[in-house]
Amino acid sequence: MTLDNIVRFLNGMSNLSVRGFMKRFLIFTIFILMILHFCTAYEIVQPGVIPGDLLYGLDRAWEKFRLLLTVDPVEKVHLRMMFYQERTAELMKCVETNRTQFLDILLKEISEETSSIVTLLNKLELQGRDVSLHNEILLNLTYSNILTLLDVFPNVSTKIRNRIEHLLN
């Protein structure tokens, strides 16, 4: 089907049917974009750099700078959730690359991100904002994180196992 055929087809349609077609097309496009947006919201973030890499400190500084510039508390929650996912992905990458000396730091950072997210959500709830969707997303992220920690558990030292047990409780 060529572009000329499409133009002839659209010209043959009445104005009303073209509007109806465009309306359905627009609704369908928005629906697909929403599905893609929500599917990527649950995707585990791949770590670009991990502890021990030369640029890791710069990466963490950039994250703090982004949080500092973010005024909207809902957007801060989104950023914190993204950073939470990044720490989890970094933890897995550290285990895969045998950089276990950084696991204790990452577990502490995961715990701090969780506390920050919960604190922000509590503040939003006190302001009368609906945070039920954010709580659900946090629950899903936490569940995913627990599965990740259970996968990591057999491959780490006793000290790190104790830290993981503490974090899981």
Side-chain angles (χ1 to χ4, degrees):
M1 192 169 214
T2 65
L3 185 59
D4 291 334
N5 291 340
I6 293 171
V7 170
R8 271 191 236 126
F9 172 74
L10 290 175
N11 285 337
M13 298 173 72
S14 70
N15 254 351
L16 184 60
S17 61
V18 170
R19 282 190 209 132
F21 170 75
M22 292 304 290
K23 185 177 181 180
R24 279 180 272 168
F25 178 75
L26 184 62
I27 290 170
F28 176 75
T29 304
I30 290 171
F31 178 73
I32 294 297
L33 290 173
M34 287 175 60
I35 287 174
L36 290 174
H37 172 73
F38 287 113
C39 287
T40 58
Y42 291 104
E43 183 179 321
I44 296 270
V45 177
Q46 295 297 321
V49 292
I50 58 175
D53 288 347
L54 187 60
L55 297 176
Y56 185 73
L58 184 61
D59 183 50
R60 296 289 287 138
W62 177 248
E63 289 175 5
K64 289 178 182 173
F65 182 69
R66 286 180 65 189
L67 281 170
L68 185 67
L69 291 180
T70 305
V71 178
D72 182 24
V74 174
E75 188 60 32
K76 277 192 182 194
V77 169
H78 292 186
L79 280 174
R80 289 275 185 195
M81 287 183 177
M82 186 178 73
F83 298 154
Y84 177 84
Q85 288 180 298
E86 284 184 23
R87 296 298 86 74
T88 304
E90 289 167 2
L91 183 94
M92 286 298 292
K93 190 72 171 178
C94 280
V95 170
E96 290 170 9
T97 58
N98 202 25
R99 294 187 188 181
T100 55
Q101 69 270 26
F102 300 108
L103 296 182
D104 195 40
I105 295 167
L106 286 170
L107 289 169
K108 181 181 175 202
E109 289 176 355
I110 288 170
S111 179
E112 289 170 358
E113 287 295 345
T114 306
S115 297
S116 296
I117 293 168
V118 170
T119 302
L120 285 168
L121 288 176
N122 287 338
K123 285 181 182 177
L124 286 170
E125 195 169 32
L126 288 173
Q127 293 173 357
R129 311 255 315 252
D130 181 23
V131 294
S132 56
L133 178 62
H134 293 92
N135 282 329
E136 188 175 329
I137 293 170
L138 179 60
L139 182 66
N140 289 333
L141 289 175
T142 303
Y143 178 73
S144 172
N145 193 25
I146 288 171
L147 294 178
T148 301
L149 292 173
L150 291 175
D151 283 345
V152 166
F153 195 79
N155 304 326
V156 296
S157 68
T158 306
K159 177 184 173 189
I160 300 301
R161 284 183 188 166
N162 292 338
R163 184 80 170 182
I164 290 174
E165 286 175 351
H166 176 72
L167 191 60
L168 291 176
N169 292 328

